[in-house]
Amino acid sequence: MVLQTQFADIKGNDLYIDGIKASDLAKQYGTPLYVMSEGHIRHQMNELKTKFMDKYEKALPLFASKSFSCLAIYKLANEYGIGIDCVSAGEISIALRAGFDPDKIYFHGNNKLPSEIEYALSHDVTHFVVDNFYEIENCEKIAGKLGKKVKATLRIVPGIKAGGHNYIMTGHKDTKFGFSSHYGIYLKAIQQILESDNIEYEGIHCHIGSQVFDLFAYVNAMLQFMKFVNEIYNTFGVVTSKINAGGGYGIAYTKQDEPLDFESITSEIMKVIYNEYDSHGWERPAVMIEPGRYVVGNAGITLYTVGCIKEIPDVRTYVSIDGGMSDNIRTPLYDAKYDGIVANKAGETKTKTVTVVGKICESADMITKDLPVTANIMPGDIFAVFSTGAYNYSMSSNYNQLPKPAVVFTYEGESRVVVRRQTFDDLILFDEE
Ligand SMILES: Cc1ncc(COP(=O)(O)O)c(C=O)c1O
């Protein structure tokens, strides 16, 4: 079981989250329930602030809000003065609604719609992580029409393979994201931007993938990026003033995962960048990072109620819970592994191996396979799945017309709803009668 966090522990036979008995949270708010430790999120955001933003000149950590996106999280990020990575006009709209300074919002995405570009610019969101030539064309037209200037950071593919699963690798040659670093493609993009009246060249962006545990992958990517910086200087005589080093910092979902230390990653990245710039006597650039999972992943615990328990002799025991891939799609999508525990029997020895599945009508609907639990597990128990803070709620759906669970923040013995549970009426909110 992963209880590496400060906020969850076992007392007697019960799991406690931020000092509150998990089964009491389940009773009060119902299940399935996304419980997020506000204390843990604050701790992680404070790490971004004190160990990166305050430590280096012109450093700005961006929270990759796709990992967990709701009003409450943007408000928290805003409190710490960090920036935000948004991938759609929808995410931007919520960030703005939460009071975010448009100048701290970075607009990402491989297919920003013209309507989204217009939305962003008309709300003074001008920092774009530019992905492709079609986007350059659209930015040129739309920014011109609105009398705005896009500040461009170009996403370049470093040609490095890293990340926990093929679907979350983004730094290798065969990817839908960014400009290729081959055949002079990214240089052609920079040339177009330098010639543009409505787009300003600021820098380059690198994201190699997600759930990365390999420090050398980060170092290698930055070394590669320093080659690009030199190539850009040699071709155009321009010193790149902004480097976005991406996110992807791996977290522990199970005992097998060994996360890197945050400061080891950032200090290695900064070392590579500063060494290169200092060696040329160039002014040091602004540097950005954009972790998501690192901030919210371990903060989440999903509580479910156990239903049917099906023993198939000599095969396996299936434990069904009252949610599934509609609230956590990571296992079907990425073959993710999770730890969990029977929250109301947390002190009992685990002598039974089970596979925890959802109630969705798909065989792939699985939370975690071959997990040791108490042999005393039974219908009505509360089952807690750890480290569900990232890419669970934000990827949730209404498949099989399951209402989305509520999100509750816990902090120093108190709890509050930040997203209410959906009702059956919500399920037909947009249907015509
Ligand atoms: C461009 C970019 N930046 C940052 C992230 C955040 O990754 P993670 O949550 O693994 O830190 C992602 C994840 O998909 C991404 O695509």
Side-chain angles (χ1 to χ4, degrees):
M1 177 184 42
V2 176
L3 281 183
Q4 80 283 34
T5 45
Q6 303 290 320
F7 66 88
D9 57 7
I10 294 166
K11 282 185 242 162
N13 212 15
D14 278 289
L15 173 72
Y16 282 75
I17 306 172
D18 273 329
I20 312 168
K21 204 189 270 190
S23 50
D24 285 349
L25 287 167
K27 213 177 291 167
Q28 184 176 352
Y29 299 107
T31 60
L33 184 69
Y34 293 116
V35 182
M36 298 287 290
S37 168
E38 183 178 333
H40 185 75
I41 299 171
R42 284 184 178 278
H43 175 270
Q44 299 300 89
M45 287 186 173
N46 195 49
E47 295 275 289
L48 299 188
K49 175 179 155 37
T50 55
K51 296 185 175 167
F52 185 69
M53 192 163 78
D54 297 346
K55 191 168 161 186
Y56 302 100
E57 219 185 309
K58 296 189 281 182
L60 183 67
L62 311 175
F63 167 58
S65 67
K66 73 203 80 174
S67 60
F68 180 79
S69 170
C70 71
L71 268 176
I73 198 82
Y74 291 111
K75 285 182 184 169
L76 273 188
N78 208 10
E79 240 186 76
Y80 287 84
I82 62 178
I84 284 279
D85 148 1
C86 291
V87 189
S88 67
E91 285 185 358
I92 292 173
S93 76
I94 307 173
L96 291 171
R97 190 89 165 240
F100 234 89
D101 175 356
D103 200 42
K104 286 201 172 154
I105 298 176
Y106 280 69
F107 189 14
H108 285 63
N110 67 303
N111 189 24
K112 299 177 186 74
L113 307 177
S115 59
E116 291 183 305
I117 294 173
E118 182 148 355
Y119 178 87
L121 290 176
S122 57
H123 288 84
D124 294 325
V125 174
T126 54
H127 293 294
F128 280 39
V129 175
V130 174
D131 182 274
N132 55 74
F133 289 103
Y134 177 61
E135 184 180 334
I136 294 177
E137 239 176 78
N138 283 329
C139 282
E140 179 65 21
K141 275 191 235 152
I142 297 165
K145 183 179 87 177
L146 297 175
K148 304 268 183 178
K149 226 173 184 137
V150 168
K151 295 172 189 148
T153 307
L154 256 77
R155 181 163 182 172
I156 306 176
V157 185
I160 284 170
K161 241 183 164 182
H165 185 275
N166 272 341
Y167 288 177
I168 50 177
M169 290 178 181
T170 58
H172 55 305
K173 206 171 169 182
D174 183 1
T175 171
K176 71 169 183 168
F177 296 106
F179 291 97
S180 170
S181 51
H182 294 82
Y183 317 113
I185 290 175
Y186 82 88
L187 289 171
K188 197 168 154 230
I190 292 179
Q191 181 166 5
Q192 284 191 10
I193 289 174
L194 290 172
E195 287 167 359
S196 156
D197 290 331
N198 306 314
I199 313 175
E200 204 174 290
Y201 172 68
E202 285 201 326
I204 52 180
H205 169 283
C206 170
H207 178 73
I208 52 177
S210 250
Q211 191 60 352
V212 177
F213 295 115
D214 178 4
L215 189 57
F216 291 112
Y218 285 110
V219 172
N220 282 339
M222 268 312 101
L223 288 169
Q224 187 64 25
F225 265 57
M226 292 307 101
K227 282 192 195 155
F228 302 154
V229 164
N230 276 289
E231 231 170 354
I232 293 164
Y233 181 76
N234 293 334
T235 313
F236 306 110
V238 171
V239 176
T240 296
S241 63
K242 193 178 270 183
I243 306 284
N244 185 328
Y249 308 167
I251 62 162
Y253 286 96
T254 70
K255 275 193 273 233
Q256 277 69 48
D257 295 329
E258 291 178 17
L260 295 165
D261 170 59
F262 173 70
E263 271 189 301
S264 322
I265 306 172
T266 50
S267 65
E268 288 301 317
I269 287 172
M270 296 311 275
K271 222 186 287 171
V272 173
I273 297 172
Y274 284 175
N275 277 347
E276 188 64 32
Y277 275 68
D278 291 353
S279 75
H280 293 281
W282 293 337
E283 188 183 327
R284 288 176 170 181
V287 182
M288 262 127 228
I289 53 169
E290 48 190 30
R293 189 188 316 267
Y294 169 78
V295 180
V296 290
N298 289 135
I301 295 179
T302 308
L303 301 180
Y304 299 102
T305 300
V306 172
C308 152
I309 299 176
K310 193 174 286 176
E311 302 211 8
I312 307 176
D314 304 325
V315 180
R316 68 177 65 247
T317 299
Y318 285 102
V319 169
S320 296
I321 44 88
D322 56 351
M325 64 192 279
S326 51
D327 61 74
N328 183 356
I329 201 172
R330 289 190 65 257
T331 304
L333 199 58
Y334 306 140
D335 197 21
K337 308 275 181 287
Y338 283 98
D339 259 322
I341 197 168
V342 179
N344 53 308
K345 294 172 180 169
E348 295 178 11
T349 317
K350 299 167 177 179
T351 54
K352 193 180 177 82
T353 299
V354 301
T355 288
V356 182
V357 294
K359 64 184 259 72
I360 297 286
C361 205
E362 296 284 340
S363 293
D365 176 29
M366 188 179 292
I367 301 289
T368 197
K369 222 175 175 178
D370 299 333
L371 184 79
V373 295
T374 169
N376 191 21
I377 186 168
M378 58 183 68
D381 281 342
I382 300 302
F383 192 78
V385 181
F386 297 111
S387 303
T388 57
Y391 306 105
N392 275 225
Y393 169 67
S394 59
M395 285 184 166
S396 62
S397 75
N398 288 120
Y399 187 32
N400 283 185
Q401 297 297 7
L402 262 59
K404 289 189 187 182
V407 182
V408 163
F409 274 15
T410 53
Y411 190 43
E412 296 178 344
E414 303 286 332
S415 62
R416 65 183 170 115
V417 174
V418 298
V419 182
R420 71 155 171 80
R421 182 178 303 283
Q422 287 185 345
T423 63
F424 290 155
D425 282 345
D426 292 329
L427 296 176
I428 50 162
L429 201 57
F430 309 108
D431 292 24
E432 302 291 347
E433 289 284 353

